[in-house]
Amino acid sequence: MSTKKVEEMILAVCRKHPEGVQDTVLEQELPNVSVNDRALAINALLSALKLQILVNPADPSSHIYKASAAADTARLKGLTPEDMLVYQCIQGAGNMGIWTRDMKTRTNLQQPKINKILKTLEERLLVKSVKSVQNASKKVYMLYELEPAKELTGGPWYGPDAFDSEFITVLQDATMSYIKSKGDATLADIVRFIKETVSAGCTQTWYGRHECAAAGVHRVREHGTTSVQRKLVPSACMSARMHACPAILYSASGSQGISKQALQEDDVQRIINTLDYDGKIEGVDLDDDGVEHYRLALMKIPETTAFTSIPCGVCPVFNECVEGGKISPATCVYYQEWLDF
Amino acid sequence: MADTAFGGQPPASRGPHACRLALKLVDEALGPVCRKVIGCLVDHGMQQYGELVRASGLAPPQLRAALLVLIQHNYVNCYLKEEPPTLRGPGPSYYLYEVALPRILQSLRVPRFLTHIADDHGQESVRLIHNLLEHGRLRWDQLLKAVCSEAAEEGEGEEPPPDPEVLANKFRSLVMERYVERVPPCNLPPPAQQVHPNARKKKAAPKPGSEEEADLQREQSEVQQRQGYQEARFQLSADLGGDAALIGSEAAAEKQAGKRKRGKDATAEEPAKKRGRKKAGDAGQAAAETAAAEAAAAGAKSAGVAAGQNEEEPVLWRVNYDEFNRRFRNDIIVSTVKLKYGVDAGHAVHGLLLANARFEQTAHTVETVVLSVNDASGALRRAEKEVPDNIDAVLGELSEDVFGLLESRGQGPGGEQFVMNFPRILNLARLLELEAVVKNKFGPHGMRIWRLLLLMGQLEQKQVADLAMLTKEEAREKLYGMLKAGYLALQDVPRTADHAPSRTFYTWRANPGVVNARMASDLYRAAGNLHARLAHEMSKKEELVQLLEAPSVASHVLERREEEIAALRAVTTRLEASLLDLDAQIMLFNDV
Ligand code: SF4
């Protein structure tokens, strides 16, 4: 039997089992093919990148074969077996990514060699490096087309390089304005409000200027090429205490956004919780049905107190201040300023 | 709050910052010699005269004069200590002097007292209270003279002098409303030592004729003496027409209060009295009779003296600061309830507080007596305040709220009955103030973290950053800032016995009790600083101050320095106004 024919038969079996086949399965399915022919055909397929060899997830001591997609074959063309080894190692790590140190132990390749391969793979847009929010100096690699896991990116709250406090502030403002307008709202209401505003058509513009009926014109900020048009630059409308447009926020982090991390119910709950901790809203079980309703807090925290409206109340050296000492009420510069009419 | 030390610490009103402020206030009001005496009493606690001579280093005549001035202004309490008799005869007795820190510190509140009286009782009452505050303690005839001469000086013949009968009536109502009290007699025994409930030992009933029994009887007689003063405290003297009818009304109120359930704090002596009775009962009829007879004799003697029933002794009067505090406390309670539950709830609670007024003698009460809906509405009607239409429903709802401000005690003749818990609502008022302080000091994110820890209990730094949705760096900065200022606590939970930091959890927590105590002490410290700055500003312009105080200065001299005078006035007004505002906060955290 010619090698070409055997190759085709093997590929057919592999396509029948997209999850991968073990050598024993190939042996059973192709009883007329000798061991030698099978080995030759598999080697030829592997070097032509039509077949992938992977560790069997069910039994790590054995391995399985998987047929490569036609597109993959084209993309991976020209990669050396070592490049493929590293590629497969990265592929196996999924969207959690893999650290170079771990690649070294898994592939048994030297670090400089791995670095060189990674450079090649990155140039060919096959893999990408992602920084973990847990450890900013630790880069992990994953396939280019994958969206990093929430654990790595920190969820929707992280921008490309840092925690996105501004995004949270805008979301808080949007939630507050909704609760204010409704009187009271449940978590489901707030999530629905955000989703409905998205479908109302604030999703189209990602770069440059964004038109929003509620808030006028905002500019959408762009961070690099990959992940960010997550929000408007809200400073102008926020400083004017205008309605923050949640549509942009949600769509930016929703399915159409490049970050592709939709705000889940628990994300919205976290935003609501921060408003509760800020003393701006309070949760009450109005209907005794166990569903919490959020409304503006009845007891407003006072803006100032007698203690903090004098310099000592907010003094950074309050504990060090003693009469007759270096820092003392008589020589105090804060009082000097405060009493300078 | 004031008397509840936290974590073994003395309360802030007896702490170093409060003492520093008290010394400043005494120095300002009565001069350096009195300050020295108060300093000695603060440093050494209760002292005899001889000890005071040695500790102060003052010449005896000077010390005697200073002590008299201090006692006159009620800044020093005086007690008669009688030692137990020995085999050779009766035991020695001597006077003990104790600094009255609360009265010194609360002298800051005097302008508020006067405003309150002016609002509720008119100008004659203001004159009476003002003169009484100026002189510390006075007999009625002395007070009348002082008020009349003050009015004559001010009016200079333009206004008619105040009618003594009107003044007497005003004074009577001030006494009956407890704004003015009899000065405690100087021969009262020193206050009983407060023993922590955990440290109290159960003692067996003393054997008849034993030393223990004598001690117990002495204790009981001391309790009776103090009780005697409490009963006579607001009774009118004979020169004010204090007859049986007037005293009777007071007694009737007391009697009624006795019928109802008393507030938990209703004078510390009460439990001791009950204990005494019980033990006396256990010890047998004979012992009980002896003890009762002796105690009754001693009690009757002291009560008689205190009440001035023989009226040979003149009765001295002084302003009762605690009554003002009690009323200010009620204002805080009503406004906090209005904020939390709405205006109707505020009115209803105000009704309960008014109805409870005659059953409480101090601002430190823990709860009201059992009060019905009718009591509340009746009290509101009598005070000519608005009575909510659905007062019973409002109170019913309040009692069902999880916050636990009101506790329902079933139905009574006047409708549903309630008991109100004061510390709960006062702690809420304090919490609001604390939140504002934390927000002003550490920013809105600092307050978010603080409230988060208050709600969630103990959290690690990373959890704090996650839940507060802040960067790790910001969370760390805020946490350590609050730790340094004493608003948060950090606890280490080692995983191994070696306490290695790498194997230790560090958890953060916000304890409202600790923070309240911290705040209470910081307020005194800030008030001390304000006072010091005020003194500094005045001393900077000493010559100008003297010029302004001089009786006759040519107008052109003042005109020439008009700008300087205006600047000094602006500075002192701001400092004094801030001190007054701060005192209102001090009251909330320390005196109720
Ligand atoms: S007197 Fe001045 S330095 Fe001292 S605590 Fe007050 S503000 Fe700070």
Side-chain angles (χ1 to χ4, degrees), chain A residues 311-312 315 317-318 321 327-329 332 334-335, chain B residues 529:
Chain A
C312 298
C315 176
V317 284
F318 186 65
C321 179
I327 304 169
S328 77
C332 172
Y334 303 111
Y335 267 108
Chain B
N529 289 354

Side-chain angles (χ1 to χ4, degrees), chain B residues 116-137:
Chain B
H116 174 85
I117 291 289
D119 290 346
D120 288 8
H121 294 81
Q123 219 39 50
E124 282 90 356
S125 301
V126 173
R127 277 190 198 285
L128 288 167
I129 293 286
H130 178 245
N131 274 284
L132 206 45
L133 285 167
E134 281 277 293
H135 295 94
R137 45 175 75 184

